[in-house]
Amino acid sequence: MTISATLLTAAGPLLQPNEGTAPSGVPNRGTTDVPTGGSGQVSQGAWSLGEWIGYSTLVAVSVLLTIIALTTLWWMLHAWRSRDALKSTSFSQSPRPAAHRFTLLVPGRHEQDVMGETLDMLAKQDHPDFEIIAIVGEDDPETDAVVRAAAARHPSLIRVVVDDTAPKNKPKAMNLALQYATGDIVGVFDAEDEVYPRLLSLVDSRFQETDADVVQGGVQLMNFKSSWWSLRNVLEYYFWFRSRLHFHAGSKFIPLGGNTVFVTRSRLEWSNGWDAHCLAEDCELGVRLSADGAKVVVAYSPEAVTREETPPTFASLLKQRTRWNQGFLQVLGKGEWKKLPSFRQRFFARYMLTMPFIQAATGLLIPLSVVIILFVKVPTAIALVSFVPLAPTLMLLAVEVVGLNEFGRIYGERVRVRDYVKLVLGLVPYQVFLAAAAVRAVVRHAKGQNGWEKTEHTGQHRTAGQPAEVVGFANAVTTRGSDSPDRSDDRQLAGSTAGAASTTGGTR
């Protein structure tokens, strides 16, 4: 027997096509019941109703998160993309001599821990012509005592107005105090503010240079080391006033801030003051003024920002953000933004005022999306779509890291490694928090719960020593020019100190 014949005999008979069946368990033989295609081996058959709902939800959340991340990133980088915009909104390096009289409104409710020092600092403004009106409730004896003590220290500058309205809120208090204002420009400050001593001189010059109806100054939270959320809150303010506000100035639609904002008396009389029923009275006033063609300008330089603190507790921050979101929903429903002259302005207004709805919807859909990703087999295309928001989010995080470094350099604050770690680890929890605050705002708005939830202040941004030196601003601002008049320490303001509201008369 030949060798070839021996091998064929040992191997047995050759299998012919279609003869027999493949042995069980042998790979690549016969057919299999496992479906092909899809990242999770999902059947190629028609989707069920539940799959349609689940997959659509995942795509919707991904698209919303991507849009929010991209627009936020675009606005955050505006000042770095357009240096001319930042330069055009900076304070003048050579301020003009004073030409206006200022009335500064400082409402405070249960602010006895911080308001006295704020009034003392405001009284040190180098402007030659201004008055300060402190507003306290008749049911707040602790703050009243602190305010009256400050008025006794500065009798020619500070007056006290007692608010006996009910229920109490900030716009009601300011409308009451407006009756006693004697300045042709009215500025608003919060009870815990640290104000740059030359701010009024710079703002006065800004009004003269631009013929503005409103000047919005800068505000910066400072206590970034207090908590993980304070770090992110501080950066929000930094990018808003350092960059995003200048974008809105260019678009001629600026939702005004709640303090360091200055409005001409004539415009406040036109608007009948602030909307006493709105939880975002500052934004509401800005929308109405913009719709009427008022000239609103931004005035920002790092050294001249008003320094504040982020809320001391997480619950307080939640209430504050809820109030802002709910106020935006009120302004949206009021519809004054529809009177803005251009489509571009109306588009920006609608997008900003609708943001609480977008965040609330995203907040409700995120948990469902997580469940789908973890427990449901998702087709490849949809799985890829769910990762799209990751790219702009990582870019946003990188910008925040750079921004935190720049914040520390500008304001003379030492940023530690642990701060960068908190910044990164806090990204997702803070976004969930924003969504939760938006959901809470929508629920309260739907229920008609429009009560004012106050934000408490403890002075975490203040230190016993001198405030940190801020670099990067012209020397002309920090030294008195030869053409700047000296302020008289003893000026007699028009009108007498206001006591209880029931015993005083209006001067308007």
Side-chain angles (χ1 to χ4, degrees):
M1 183 179 293
T2 64
I3 295 176
S4 59
T6 302
L7 292 176
L8 288 172
T9 302
L14 292 174
L15 290 176
Q16 301 299 320
N18 300 322
E19 287 186 3
T21 58
S24 176
V26 177
N28 300 321
R29 297 290 182 91
T31 60
T32 177
D33 294 331
V34 179
T36 59
S39 64
Q41 300 297 332
V42 177
S43 172
Q44 293 180 344
W47 291 348
S48 67
L49 178 61
E51 287 174 326
W52 272 107
I53 295 176
Y55 298 157
S56 299
T57 298
L58 190 57
V59 171
V61 172
S62 301
V63 171
L64 284 173
L65 290 177
T66 302
I67 292 174
I68 293 173
L70 287 175
T71 54
T72 300
L73 185 64
W74 182 260
W75 286 331
M76 286 172 63
L77 294 175
H78 175 73
W80 288 270
R81 291 185 292 103
S82 178
R83 291 282 182 175
D84 291 340
L86 183 62
K87 183 178 180 181
S88 66
T89 54
S90 299
F91 283 115
S92 172
Q93 296 183 8
S94 301
R96 297 183 183 181
H100 297 283
R101 174 172 173 77
F102 286 83
T103 294
L104 309 180
L105 304 183
V106 188
R109 183 162 178 77
H110 304 303
E111 300 284 12
Q112 60 271 15
D113 294 334
V114 295
M115 195 164 177
E117 188 173 347
T118 296
L119 294 174
D120 286 337
M121 295 181 69
L122 281 174
K124 296 178 181 178
Q125 286 290 312
D126 73 341
H127 193 274
D129 194 8
F130 71 97
E131 65 174 348
I132 303 169
I133 299 181
I135 314 127
V136 294
E138 87 290 348
D139 57 348
D140 186 5
E142 293 84 3
T143 306
D144 183 84
V146 169
V147 166
R148 292 191 183 278
R153 293 191 295 271
H154 311 281
S156 63
L157 288 176
I158 300 176
R159 292 190 290 162
V160 180
V161 168
V162 176
D163 175 19
D164 61 354
T165 61
K168 290 179 170 51
N169 62 33
K170 182 179 178 181
K172 283 185 180 180
M174 293 191 297
N175 286 339
L176 177 63
L178 193 60
Q179 301 176 34
Y180 308 101
T182 61
D184 55 308
I185 295 176
V186 178
V188 179
F189 291 94
D190 287 340
E192 83 280 13
D193 286 351
E194 288 189 344
V195 184
Y196 185 63
R198 294 211 64 203
L199 180 63
L200 293 188
S201 296
L202 296 173
V203 171
D204 193 332
S205 180
R206 189 70 173 162
F207 271 103
Q208 298 177 57
E209 295 155 3
T210 62
D211 194 28
D213 296 300
V214 182
V215 170
Q216 172 68 66
V219 181
Q220 180 58 59
L221 304 180
M222 296 302 299
N223 57 312
F224 71 100
K225 297 179 181 179
S226 298
S227 60
W228 72 267
W229 68 81
S230 68
L231 174 61
R232 292 209 145 267
N233 204 196
V234 165
L235 277 183
E236 277 187 304
Y237 270 67
Y238 179 71
F239 281 108
W240 174 268
F241 287 98
R242 174 68 173 80
S243 181
R244 181 168 172 173
L245 195 61
H246 309 288
F247 173 84
H248 290 292
S251 67
K252 299 187 185 303
F253 171 72
I254 302 179
L256 297 177
N259 75 85
T260 317
V261 59
F262 302 87
V263 187
T264 61
R265 178 65 177 271
S266 60
R267 272 298 181 176
L268 284 175
E269 290 177 344
W270 167 85
S271 67
N272 292 318
W274 293 267
D275 186 340
H277 304 289
C278 185
L279 296 175
E281 82 293 337
D282 43 7
C283 173
E284 194 278 337
L285 179 62
V287 170
R288 277 194 292 142
L289 290 174
S290 297
D292 193 60
K295 188 171 185 179
V296 183
V297 303
V298 171
Y300 174 87
S301 293
E303 186 177 33
V305 299
T306 296
R307 302 187 181 197
E308 290 189 338
E309 65 175 330
T310 192
T313 66
F314 195 72
S316 182
L317 180 63
L318 178 66
K319 291 179 181 179
Q320 182 191 67
R321 193 55 59 99
T322 298
R323 188 179 74 243
W324 293 353
N325 287 337
Q326 195 172 351
F328 273 37
L329 295 179
Q330 290 176 322
V331 177
L332 177 68
K334 194 173 181 179
E336 291 290 330
W337 58 272
K338 297 178 182 178
K339 300 177 182 178
L340 291 166
S342 72
F343 172 80
R344 185 168 182 261
Q345 289 173 295
R346 293 190 296 273
F347 175 81
F348 286 140
R350 182 191 292 270
Y351 180 74
M352 287 197 62
L353 297 176
T354 311
M355 184 56 68
F357 282 120
I358 298 175
Q359 289 180 325
T362 305
L364 291 174
L365 294 175
I366 284 177
L368 180 59
S369 301
V370 172
V371 171
I372 293 173
I373 292 174
L374 293 178
F375 300 105
V376 178
K377 295 179 180 180
V378 179
T380 301
I382 295 179
L384 291 175
V385 169
S386 68
F387 283 97
V388 170
L390 186 61
T393 299
L394 291 177
M395 293 174 62
L396 191 149
L397 182 60
V399 171
E400 288 178 332
V401 170
V402 175
L404 179 58
N405 177 268
E406 185 179 83
F407 167 85
R409 177 180 58 81
I410 291 177
Y411 291 99
E413 295 282 353
R414 179 174 173 267
V415 182
R416 306 159 299 182
V417 173
R418 74 183 72 169
D419 298 318
Y420 290 107
V421 173
K422 287 193 298 183
L423 177 66
V424 174
L425 296 181
L427 173 63
V428 174
Y430 198 73
Q431 297 307 312
V432 174
F433 155 74
L434 292 178
V439 171
R440 185 170 182 265
V442 172
V443 171
R444 282 176 55 87
H445 185 68
K447 291 182 177 180
Q449 297 175 346
N450 298 319
W452 190 280
E453 293 185 312
K454 183 189 176 301
T455 303
E456 63 266 26
H457 302 105
T458 60
Q460 296 180 86
H461 60 309
R462 289 175 173 166
T463 59
Q466 296 294 324
E469 180 183 0
V470 181
V471 298
F473 195 53
N475 293 331
V477 177
T478 58
T479 57
R480 179 183 298 278
S482 58
D483 58 348
S484 299
D486 290 333
R487 178 176 66 84
S488 172
D489 289 334
D490 297 310
R491 295 188 303 276
Q492 184 61 42
L493 299 182
S496 57
T497 301
S502 60
T503 63
T504 55
T507 59
R508 182 162 61 176

